[in-house]
Amino acid sequence: MREQPAPLRRTDGSPVRVLVVDDEAPLSDLLSMALRYEGWDVRTAADGSSAVREFRAFRPDAVVLDVMLPDFDGLEVLRRMRAQTPDVPVLFLTARDSVEDRVAGLTVGGDDYVTKPFSLEELVARLRGLLRRSGMTAARQGSELAVGDLVLDEDSHEVRRGGRLVELTATEFELLRYLMRNPRIVLSKARILDQVWDYDFGGQSNVVELYISYLRKKVDAGRSPMIHTVRGAGYVLKPAAD
């Protein structure tokens, strides 16, 4: 079973509020379940009109907003939300993947963009990042993981090696977090796939190799290696040798 990340809460200690706007009921239910698993308060809307009404009543800390809606599109919904609350973080959700759509969404004030199909884990990680940057949430004490000179903050999503910031994508961050939660333990590709990725790769364990290589270039570049391959067994993270 996947390990639950450190809870993220509002500065007053109450649950984070997220509004999910999508006209596909199964997807909306799935998103709501994933966000409630984070300990967040979630409400949903299936069209633009109800989204605007719910936004006014609920006053969410963040919004997951589908671009394509039955009445008017997500861009218009965002314009109306921005008129009320200019700084609420908004993550666009769409089936379209053109540069024009991305530019349009970001131009009207969207903060990030996820294209269907997507990883629930990545979407949650991006929301956590948006909430952190908005200053609406408080970091939990003891949220840091440390192995040797490598430090990962589960709330701020910052990683540092020897005090220097390491920029990671959402998936790289989740992979490193899993490795750091299990230091000195050899983790098989199958186990990593099960814990880090929440959709079926059909046994394509080469995705693990690919992301391990990405991490090595960022975490171990120019330094004593911390990420090691154990042939025939998997990978292990441990403090660098002196």
Side-chain angles (χ1 to χ4, degrees), residues 10 17 55 59-63 78-91 108-112 127 129-137:
R10 307 174 84 194
R17 297 176 184 174
F55 181 81
R59 301 176 63 85
D61 301 305
V63 180
L78 180 57
R79 290 187 186 97
R80 299 187 188 190
M81 289 179 177
R82 288 289 186 221
Q84 300 175 53
T85 310
D87 55 356
V88 64
V90 174
L91 177 68
V108 297
D111 299 284
D112 205 347
L127 270 180
L130 291 179
L131 287 162
R132 175 186 58 79
R133 291 194 293 273
S134 74
M136 295 179 181
T137 55

Side-chain angles (χ1 to χ4, degrees), residues 35-194:
L35 299 181
R36 288 188 178 110
Y37 182 73
E38 294 290 312
W40 300 348
D41 188 1
V42 183
R43 292 191 188 178
T44 63
D47 56 48
S49 299
S50 59
V52 174
R53 288 195 302 271
E54 198 66 52
F55 181 81
R56 290 171 181 162
F58 187 41
R59 301 176 63 85
D61 301 305
V63 180
V64 178
L65 179 58
D66 192 9
V67 171
M68 299 299 294
L69 295 170
D71 44 5
F72 48 87
D73 65 24
L75 303 183
E76 178 59 27
V77 173
L78 180 57
R79 290 187 186 97
R80 299 187 188 190
M81 289 179 177
R82 288 289 186 221
Q84 300 175 53
T85 310
D87 55 356
V88 64
V90 174
L91 177 68
F92 268 120
L93 186 64
T94 180
R96 299 181 297 183
D97 194 22
S98 71
V99 174
E100 291 79 8
D101 289 331
R102 291 175 183 270
V103 171
L106 297 176
T107 298
V108 297
D111 299 284
D112 205 347
Y113 201 106
V114 175
T115 304
K116 302 174 185 178
F118 56 86
S119 158
L120 281 176
E121 191 170 68
E122 181 176 0
L123 183 143
V124 171
R126 290 195 186 192
L127 270 180
R128 288 170 65 89
L130 291 179
L131 287 162
R132 175 186 58 79
R133 291 194 293 273
S134 74
M136 295 179 181
T137 55
R140 182 182 64 85
Q141 291 185 347
S143 64
E144 289 188 348
L145 300 174
V147 178
D149 64 349
L150 182 64
V151 179
L152 178 150
D153 191 303
E154 295 186 296
D155 286 334
S156 71
H157 271 230
E158 289 186 348
V159 175
R160 295 182 183 275
R161 173 93 192 260
R164 179 175 295 181
L165 187 65
V166 180
E167 297 287 348
L168 300 178
T169 66
T171 302
E172 291 165 354
F173 180 89
E174 294 303 327
L175 174 56
L176 182 61
R177 171 158 59 183
Y178 183 57
L179 293 174
M180 292 184 69
R181 282 180 171 177
N182 297 275
R184 302 180 186 274
I185 298 174
V186 178
L187 303 169
S188 69
K189 292 178 184 178
R191 185 174 174 184
I192 293 172
L193 271 176
D194 180 61

Side-chain angles (χ1 to χ4, degrees), residues 149 161-162 164 166 213-227 240-241:
D149 64 349
R161 173 93 192 260
R164 179 175 295 181
V166 180
S213 71
Y214 292 160
L215 272 186
R216 280 178 168 148
K217 290 176 183 178
K218 295 182 177 183
V219 173
D220 287 344
R223 301 172 181 271
S224 299
M226 296 184 67
I227 303 171

